[in-house]
Amino acid sequence: MKENRYVVKKDLDSHLLWKGEGPPAAHLDIELTERCNNACIHCCINKPARDKRSRARELETCAWKDILRQAAELGVMTVRFTGGEPLLRKDFPELYLFARCLGLKVMLFTNARLITPQIAALLADVPPLEDIEVSVYGMSRESYEAVTGVDDSYAEFRNGVQCLLDRKIPFVVKGVLLPPNKNEVAELAAWAATNTRMDVPPAYAMFFDLRGRRDSTAKNSRIRSLRVSPEVGLEILTRHPDSYRKEMSEFFEKFLSPPGDRLFACGIGPGCVDAYGVLQPCLSLRHPDLTFDLRKGALKEAIASGFTRLREMKATNLLYLKRCARCFLRGFCEQCPAKSWSEHGTLDTPVEYFCHVAHAQARFLGLVMEKEQAWEVRDSAERIQNLIRRRVAVS
C-alpha cells in the first residue's frame, strides 16, 4: 500500500482552534495570482498571463508557505486556491503539496487549460479532499473562444477536463451566461449530467461583479453591458422551479431579516490573501482601509484586528438606511460592501442592479407583489412563513 505523503486533519470544531478575537478561521481564500491565460470579456480581475510587472510583485514560494503554515496553526481547515488562473504559478505543485502536508483541504478554482497529465497525477496521488471547480465558457470552440479571447483555449480546456476524467478526480463545472453561449444552457446541463459529481444543474455566473480594484472604467462599462436582465437571470435560476422554491424557502428560514445599519451582516471571513500578500475581507472587497499587508505582520493579528473593525462598522448613507437597512431580503440580495465598493467607491451606496435582481426573485416566490418594495413590507415574517408552509405541504 502506498504511504500517504500528506496529513488528514481531523474536522475539529474550529471554534476550539481559534483563540483570537473575531470568528473562527475555518476557511481562507488564496489568490495565487491575478494573471490569467484567458482574457474573458466579463472578468473582474484578470491580467495577462505574461504581465511581468504583476509577476514580479507576486509573493514568492517561501512567503506563501509561511502564510499557509500560519493558517494551519490558526485552525484553518480549507484553503481555496484561485486567481486569475492559479495553475499559472510554476510553484503550484509545491504549494499544493505543502498545503496538503499541513493537513489543509484544498479547493481549486481553474479553467482547466493547464491541467496536464502530470498535474492530474498529482491530484490523484494526493487528493485535494474537495471537488475541483472548473469554469466552462462555452460548449463549442466558437462560443468558448469568443468569451476567452484566446485561440485554441477550447481544445486545452477539453484536454484538461479529460485528464481529470482519466484519473477519476472529482470535479464540478459551473457556467457563465454571456451572449456567445446563451443558447447552450441545455447543452451544458446535459454534458454536466454525465459527471457523477453533478447531481444538480450547473450554477451560473451572470450577475457579474465589477473590478474590485477599480482599475478600468472601460472594462467596468463592458462588464455592465454583459449583465443579464433580472428577468433573464430569473429564468436561469428557476429552470427547475420546485427545487428552486424548496431551496430558497430553506434559506429564508435562516437568513431573511433586515440588517439594520450594520454594514457587515454577511458571514464574512476570515478573508482572502491576494497575490501580493495583502489580506482583505473577501475576494471582492479591496477597500484600502480594510486591508492588511501580511509582509508587515502576522495572519492572526490581521484577522483579529480586521474583524474587530468590521463588526463595528455602520452604514451612514441615507438611501441605504432608508432601504437596505430595512429590507427583509437581506440574505437574498447581493448588495454588500464589496459590491458598493466596486460600483461606487464607497461601502454603503445601494447598487440598483442587485436590488432589481433580488426583487425579481422575491416576486417569483410571492414574497413581494408587483411594484411593491421589500423595505416597505410590514408583514414579512408572515410571508416567509407562508412560503415555508407551502414547502412543507409539497414535501
Side-chain angles (χ1 to χ4, degrees), residues 292-305:
F292 188 101
D293 191 339
L294 294 178
R295 293 167 297 186
K296 300 177 182 178
L299 181 62
K300 180 176 181 178
E301 174 191 351
I303 293 175
S305 63

Side-chain angles (χ1 to χ4, degrees), residues 222-269:
R222 181 174 64 182
I223 293 170
R224 282 194 181 94
S225 73
L226 293 169
R227 286 171 167 169
V228 299
S229 68
E231 293 73 24
V232 170
L234 182 65
E235 290 179 12
I236 296 296
L237 292 172
T238 60
R239 285 169 289 170
H240 302 278
D242 292 340
S243 297
Y244 176 77
R245 288 190 179 94
K246 180 178 184 295
E247 179 184 349
M248 289 298 100
S249 66
E250 292 171 349
F251 177 79
F252 294 155
E253 197 168 9
K254 301 175 182 178
F255 296 108
L256 272 186
S257 62
D261 63 355
R262 181 185 172 197
L263 260 184
F264 289 91
C266 58
I268 196 168

Side-chain angles (χ1 to χ4, degrees), residues 105-147:
K105 298 177 183 180
V106 175
M107 298 176 68
L108 174 61
F109 280 16
T110 178
N111 58 37
R113 286 181 54 201
L114 296 176
I115 295 180
T116 61
Q118 293 75 26
I119 292 291
L122 169 67
L123 297 171
D125 185 36
V126 185
L129 303 186
E130 296 282 355
D131 287 355
I132 294 168
E133 296 194 22
V134 177
S135 296
V136 181
Y137 302 112
M139 293 302 293
S140 68
R141 176 177 179 175
E142 291 72 24
S143 61
Y144 190 96
E145 295 180 4
V147 173

Side-chain angles (χ1 to χ4, degrees), residues 78-349:
T78 305
V79 292
R80 174 166 57 180
F81 286 148
T82 183
E85 171 50 56
L87 294 179
L88 276 174
R89 293 274 306 209
K90 301 298 184 184
D91 58 358
F92 173 82
E94 183 177 354
L95 292 175
Y96 174 80
L97 281 175
F98 188 80
R100 291 296 295 114
C101 285
L102 289 171
L104 296 167
K105 298 177 183 180
V106 175
M107 298 176 68
L108 174 61
F109 280 16
T110 178
N111 58 37
R113 286 181 54 201
L114 296 176
I115 295 180
T116 61
Q118 293 75 26
I119 292 291
L122 169 67
L123 297 171
D125 185 36
V126 185
L129 303 186
E130 296 282 355
D131 287 355
I132 294 168
E133 296 194 22
V134 177
S135 296
V136 181
Y137 302 112
M139 293 302 293
S140 68
R141 176 177 179 175
E142 291 72 24
S143 61
Y144 190 96
E145 295 180 4
V147 173
T148 65
V150 179
D151 291 343
D152 300 323
S153 56
Y154 178 70
E156 291 175 352
F157 148 71
R158 283 291 195 173
N159 289 338
V161 168
Q162 191 59 50
C163 286
L164 295 176
L165 292 170
D166 289 344
R167 297 305 298 258
K168 297 181 172 56
I169 298 166
F171 71 96
V172 297
V173 298
K174 50 193 178 183
V176 181
L177 192 66
L178 289 160
N181 62 32
K182 65 181 182 181
N183 295 321
E184 298 177 344
V185 173
E187 187 177 357
L188 174 57
W191 177 65
T194 65
N195 181 346
T196 58
R197 307 297 291 190
M198 297 289 296
D199 54 359
V200 295
Y204 268 88
M206 49 190 167
F207 308 124
F208 303 121
D209 290 345
L210 301 188
R211 295 180 72 85
R213 288 190 170 88
R214 299 181 56 78
D215 57 356
S216 175
T217 301
K219 288 182 179 180
N220 277 344
S221 295
R222 181 174 64 182
I223 293 170
R224 282 194 181 94
S225 73
L226 293 169
R227 286 171 167 169
V228 299
S229 68
E231 293 73 24
V232 170
L234 182 65
E235 290 179 12
I236 296 296
L237 292 172
T238 60
R239 285 169 289 170
H240 302 278
D242 292 340
S243 297
Y244 176 77
R245 288 190 179 94
K246 180 178 184 295
E247 179 184 349
M248 289 298 100
S249 66
E250 292 171 349
F251 177 79
F252 294 155
E253 197 168 9
K254 301 175 182 178
F255 296 108
L256 272 186
S257 62
D261 63 355
R262 181 185 172 197
L263 260 184
F264 289 91
C266 58
I268 196 168
C272 170
V273 184
D274 78 2
Y276 317 111
V278 176
L279 180 73
Q280 55 202 45
C282 68
L283 278 167
S284 302
L285 183 52
R286 303 175 188 271
H287 191 293
D289 291 345
L290 302 178
T291 60
F292 188 101
D293 191 339
L294 294 178
R295 293 167 297 186
K296 300 177 182 178
L299 181 62
K300 180 176 181 178
E301 174 191 351
I303 293 175
S305 63
F307 278 103
T308 297
R309 284 183 294 160
L310 295 182
R311 284 197 304 270
E312 295 172 350
M313 294 186 72
K314 306 290 185 182
T316 59
N317 181 282
L318 294 179
L319 190 58
Y320 183 99
L321 294 173
K322 177 184 177 181
R323 292 168 37 172
C324 305
R326 299 165 53 196
C327 182
F328 76 102
L329 302 181
R330 168 184 65 91
F332 192 29
C333 181
E334 292 194 35
Q335 167 69 41
C336 69
K339 300 294 193 293
S340 291
W341 170 249
S342 61
E343 299 265 347
H344 300 296
T346 70
L347 295 175
D348 60 357
T349 304

Side-chain angles (χ1 to χ4, degrees), residues 9-66:
K9 217 174 189 181
K10 291 179 68 178
D11 285 327
L12 298 176
D13 186 338
S14 56
H15 288 271
L16 300 177
L17 296 168
W18 173 245
K19 302 299 184 182
E21 295 296 325
H27 172 100
L28 184 68
D29 286 326
I30 300 289
E31 180 192 86
L32 287 177
T33 179
E34 59 178 338
R35 296 175 296 119
C36 189
N37 53 347
N38 285 338
C40 293
I41 56 178
H42 66 287
C43 190
C44 64
I45 183 174
N46 61 327
K47 288 192 174 182
R50 297 181 180 179
D51 189 313
K52 293 182 179 180
R53 184 177 179 183
S54 296
R55 177 63 190 93
R57 293 177 56 219
E58 290 174 10
L59 289 185
E60 297 296 333
T61 307
C62 59
W64 276 124
K65 286 184 176 181
D66 184 51

